[in-house]
């Protein structure tokens, strides 16, 4: 798959921007960056779109900037000339699609029917925008088309926000979600960039959904583990479930290891909505998985240890649900 599309899938959210003044572009870029989402689709709904794309593409190379609401090949040409790394349109326009494909620029046309999905597949596309998502049947539509169109992924956009984001992203055929909720035009025009950063950071936090799953405590030997387990269950009435290499206590919030497991003191398991996306996010901060610790179920990662300990604890991610 194209690198830009992979990056979009990794971030999981495409902020859809309507910007009136290109001079606001650097502050917008900084606000998105500070919120943890260096990605923007600048829509051709204002005269400032082309200049805003150019300003961001030239001035902030760490940002992935694309163009949205591209309705003609003229606009696509302007967007690509200004440095847009991807092109999005609300509907399926075969001319725009072939124009972009001929130039090797990833194009994400909008669809909301089986006919349009097939037209996109016919052009060799693997990712399309599902627009307008909420009005076109939302999750139910995406679930219904997942069986006949197995190879294609969607970017639902239109009515997506921090409340329904995770329910869309949990679908196997959803590559990312698009939306304007964290970058509303009014916020940009009013210079409310701190609010944009706050809403962006909230969107990233909701998307990742890091929570404490359990704490794993290392013991030297099985006898020591058994003593700790007795104490925990006697004092706090925690139910005990014995496994091969450890005991789980309570609602599995504690794991007592029968021999030293990973981590100097033990491990902390963090629940996440999607292990792949969490690893993409952590990868940008220089943290990766420990090779060989990954577990996969139904083609999705469910567990991976991180190559960084914190306070003597190894950390592993575990998929929620
Ligand atoms: C778009 O062009 O992609 C949509 O207008 C964004 O939809 P939203 O404003 O409902 O997020």
């Amino acid at each position: 798959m194209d690198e830009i599309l992979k990056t979009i899938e990794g971030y999981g959210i495409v902020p859809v921007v309507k910007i009136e003044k290109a001079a606001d572009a650097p502050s917008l870029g900084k606000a998105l960056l500070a919120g943890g989402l260096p990605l923007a689709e600048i829509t051709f709904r204002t005269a400032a779109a082309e200049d805003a794309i150019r300003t961001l593409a030239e001035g902030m190379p760490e940002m992935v900037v694309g163009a949205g609401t591209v309705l003609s090949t003229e606009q696509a040409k302007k967007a690509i000339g200004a440095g847009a790394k991807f092109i999005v349109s609300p509907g399926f326009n075969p001319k725009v699609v072939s124009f972009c494909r001929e130039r090797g620029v990833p194009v994400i046309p909008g669809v909301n029917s089986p006919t349009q999905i097939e037209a996109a597949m016919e052009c060799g596309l693997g990712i399309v925008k599902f627009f307008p998502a909420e009005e076109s049947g939302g999750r139910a539509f995406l679930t219904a088309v997942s069986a006949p169109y197995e190879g294609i992924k969607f970017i639902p956009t239109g009515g997506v926000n921090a409340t329904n984001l995770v329910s869309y992203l949990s679908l196997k055929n959803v590559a990312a979600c698009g939306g304007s909720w964290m970058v509303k035009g009014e916020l940009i025009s009013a210079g409310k960039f701190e609010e944009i950063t706050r809403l962006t950071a909230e969107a990233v936090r909701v998307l990742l959904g890091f929570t404490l799953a359990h704490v794993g405590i290392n013991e030297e030997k099985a006898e020591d583990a058994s003593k700790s387990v007795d104490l925990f269950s006697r004092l706090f009435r925690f139910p005990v479930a014995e496994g091969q290499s450890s005991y789980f206590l309570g609602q599995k919030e504690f794991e007592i290891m029968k021999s030293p497991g990973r981590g100097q003191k033990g491990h902390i398991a963090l629940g996440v909505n999607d292990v792949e996306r969490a690893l993409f996010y952590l990868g940008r901060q220089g943290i990766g998985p420990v090779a060989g610790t990954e577990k996969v179920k139904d083609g999705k990662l469910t567990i991976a240890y991180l190559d960084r300990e914190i306070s003597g604890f190894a950390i592993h991610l575990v998929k929620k649900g």
Side-chain angles (χ1 to χ4, degrees), residues 108-143:
I108 309 169
V111 302
N112 75 343
S113 75
T115 309
Q116 296 158 9
I117 295 172
E118 287 181 30
M121 290 172 82
E122 190 70 24
C123 296
L125 299 178
I127 294 188
V128 289
K129 172 172 171 165
F130 170 42
F131 180 78
E134 283 288 284
E135 292 80 355
S136 306
R139 272 179 60 99
F141 174 93
L142 292 168
T143 307

Side-chain angles (χ1 to χ4, degrees), residues 74-243:
E74 288 74 30
Q75 284 178 335
K77 192 173 174 188
K78 281 186 187 172
I80 296 167
K85 295 279 186 312
F86 62 94
I87 300 292
V88 183
S89 54
F92 183 83
N93 180 334
K95 282 191 193 156
V96 170
V97 170
S98 18
F99 183 88
C100 296
R101 295 212 19 107
E102 279 158 17
R103 283 153 189 82
V105 177
V107 58
I108 309 169
V111 302
N112 75 343
S113 75
T115 309
Q116 296 158 9
I117 295 172
E118 287 181 30
M121 290 172 82
E122 190 70 24
C123 296
L125 299 178
I127 294 188
V128 289
K129 172 172 171 165
F130 170 42
F131 180 78
E134 283 288 284
E135 292 80 355
S136 306
R139 272 179 60 99
F141 174 93
L142 292 168
T143 307
V145 297
S146 66
Y149 306 119
E150 223 189 313
I152 194 137
K153 285 192 175 177
F154 298 86
I155 303 183
T157 309
V160 180
N161 52 48
T163 313
N164 57 10
L165 174 72
V166 173
S167 76
Y168 273 113
L169 288 172
S170 64
L171 296 175
K172 266 193 181 166
N173 58 350
V174 167
C177 283
S180 63
W181 80 94
M182 77 298 278
V183 282
K184 287 258 176 265
E186 306 91 82
L187 293 177
I188 302 173
S189 296
K192 293 190 175 165
F193 296 106
E194 278 178 19
E195 180 64 0
I196 291 177
T197 296
R198 188 188 71 76
L199 290 167
T200 306
E202 183 199 34
V204 173
R205 183 176 56 74
V206 168
L207 167 130
L208 296 166
F210 284 117
T211 48
L212 177 63
H214 66 256
V215 176
I217 300 166
N218 282 344
E219 294 286 9
E220 278 307 314
K221 47 188 190 306
E223 200 189 322
D224 299 343
S226 154
K227 276 187 197 152
S228 301
V229 168
D230 282 349
L231 210 53
F232 265 115
S233 63
R234 203 155 33 84
L235 293 180
F236 310 117
R237 304 269 156 200
F238 285 149
V240 178
E242 185 172 2

Side-chain angles (χ1 to χ4, degrees), residues 276-300:
E276 277 95 348
R277 278 206 186 89
L279 286 174
F280 179 88
Y281 166 80
L282 292 165
R284 286 162 51 213
Q285 299 174 68
I287 299 175
V290 176
T293 62
E294 300 101 329
K295 287 190 184 147
V296 178
K297 197 177 162 203
D298 298 332
K300 292 288 289 176

